[in-house]
Amino acid sequence: MLPEQCKKIGIVASWPPLTVFDEGGATGLDVEIVKRIFERAKVCYKFVRLPSSARTFKEMQKGTIDVSTMTSYTISRERFGTFSGSYRQEKMRLISLKQPSSITNLKTILNSDNTIGLSIGSYYGEEIRQLMSDTLLSDQFVSLASADSRIAMLVKGRVDFIIDDLISAHYYKTKLGHRSLKLWSYVVHDNPVHLLLSHTAFTHTEISAINLAIKDLQNDIDAIVMSYLIN
């Protein structure tokens, strides 16, 4: 297969350690996993840089990319492509500089005039979606394009909380040295993540091969995920 015919996998440029796309190319947890899946499925691929997750589905509509990684399932996203089987679990939690406390819902935090930084275009579950649609609360959510901007805004006190994956939280504390960060136990959103495969770019045979690869590689994928939580 010619390189121009390879499936184009969109990689968000700055969401370490999950995805990074810089002068050295694509790296990160989900990049490692996707490489293994496509190589096992014997489907040719190449990586395409995305400036933020907000651009993912627009670029898929335009045909700039054929694959979205670490994608949470929503009904509305089915119009863009077919969801593969899940390849890992995503666990979204609150991160702050203040000491965690026990809460029963996120509205408790917002009612105290706190602000929450989020990734543009990402899905954080129904609770966040409903709160963001509340006109009295929506301006307390701050949409930020990159992981670097989210952690910088939190450390500088520009937002009171950010929401991110446990793997990212571990990276901020251990690799970036932000030891003062506090992780809240409240479950914002736990869900499986998938590859979203463009309706126009994949055959049924290719989709089946990718799903079989995910199933066959699950132990290897779990080991890759664990390596990002202990190193």
Side-chain angles (χ1 to χ4, degrees):
M1 184 177 287
L2 297 174
E4 61 269 20
Q5 296 175 312
C6 293
K7 311 303 182 186
K8 303 180 291 291
I9 303 174
I11 297 297
V12 177
S14 183
W15 198 325
L18 306 179
T19 62
V20 176
F21 201 121
D22 55 23
E23 61 277 2
T27 58
L29 167 63
D30 287 83
V31 172
E32 284 191 46
I33 293 171
V34 170
K35 283 181 177 179
R36 297 284 287 274
I37 292 169
F38 272 72
E39 287 165 8
R40 173 63 69 92
K42 294 183 170 55
V43 176
C44 178
Y45 67 91
K46 60 183 178 180
F47 293 117
V48 176
R49 183 185 184 278
L50 295 173
S52 72
S53 59
R55 291 282 293 277
T56 300
F57 305 112
K58 291 179 183 177
E59 298 303 322
M60 185 171 279
Q61 278 185 306
K62 293 192 299 184
T64 308
I65 65 169
D66 304 314
V67 184
S68 168
T69 65
M70 57 180 184
T71 307
S72 300
Y73 173 80
T74 68
I75 292 175
S76 64
R77 290 175 177 177
E78 285 191 317
R79 71 180 186 272
F80 301 110
T82 300
F83 282 87
S84 74
S86 168
Y87 64 86
R88 71 173 178 86
Q89 289 288 315
E90 187 174 69
K91 299 180 179 182
M92 291 293 185
R93 298 291 185 272
L94 289 164
I95 304 170
S96 70
L97 296 178
K98 63 182 71 177
Q99 287 293 335
S101 61
S102 178
I103 59 172
T104 56
N105 56 66
L106 292 173
K107 196 169 183 179
T108 303
I109 287 173
L110 296 171
N111 284 342
S112 300
D113 292 327
N114 288 298
T115 53
I116 300 176
L118 301 171
S119 165
I120 299 173
S122 294
Y123 179 68
Y124 291 89
E126 280 302 295
E127 184 180 14
I128 288 287
R129 188 192 66 77
Q130 290 176 19
L131 290 170
M132 290 182 74
S133 67
D134 187 329
T135 55
L136 297 177
L137 301 172
S138 59
D139 62 354
Q140 290 172 248
F141 292 96
V142 181
S143 294
L144 300 162
S146 69
D148 291 340
S149 61
R150 290 192 294 278
I151 194 65
M153 289 283 279
L154 178 62
V155 171
K156 292 175 183 177
R158 306 280 176 80
V159 295
D160 301 297
F161 294 87
I162 60 173
I163 297 176
D164 221 322
D165 190 279
L166 284 176
I167 298 166
S168 295
H170 178 76
Y171 173 82
Y172 300 148
K173 289 174 71 72
T174 61
K175 302 297 184 184
L176 298 187
H178 297 301
R179 300 284 180 179
S180 59
L181 296 181
K182 306 295 190 300
L183 194 63
W184 290 51
S185 61
Y186 181 78
V187 177
V188 175
H189 188 50
D190 281 4
N191 71 294
V193 295
H194 313 256
L195 302 174
L196 183 61
L197 310 171
S198 168
H199 289 309
T200 59
F202 286 85
T203 66
H204 291 300
T205 300
E206 288 170 331
I207 293 170
S208 295
I210 287 168
N211 282 330
L212 181 60
I214 291 170
K215 182 178 179 181
D216 289 346
L217 289 168
Q218 198 58 64
N219 287 340
D220 292 344
I221 292 170
D222 291 345
I224 294 170
V225 171
M226 185 57 63
S227 74
Y228 276 75
L229 285 168
I230 62 177
N231 293 330

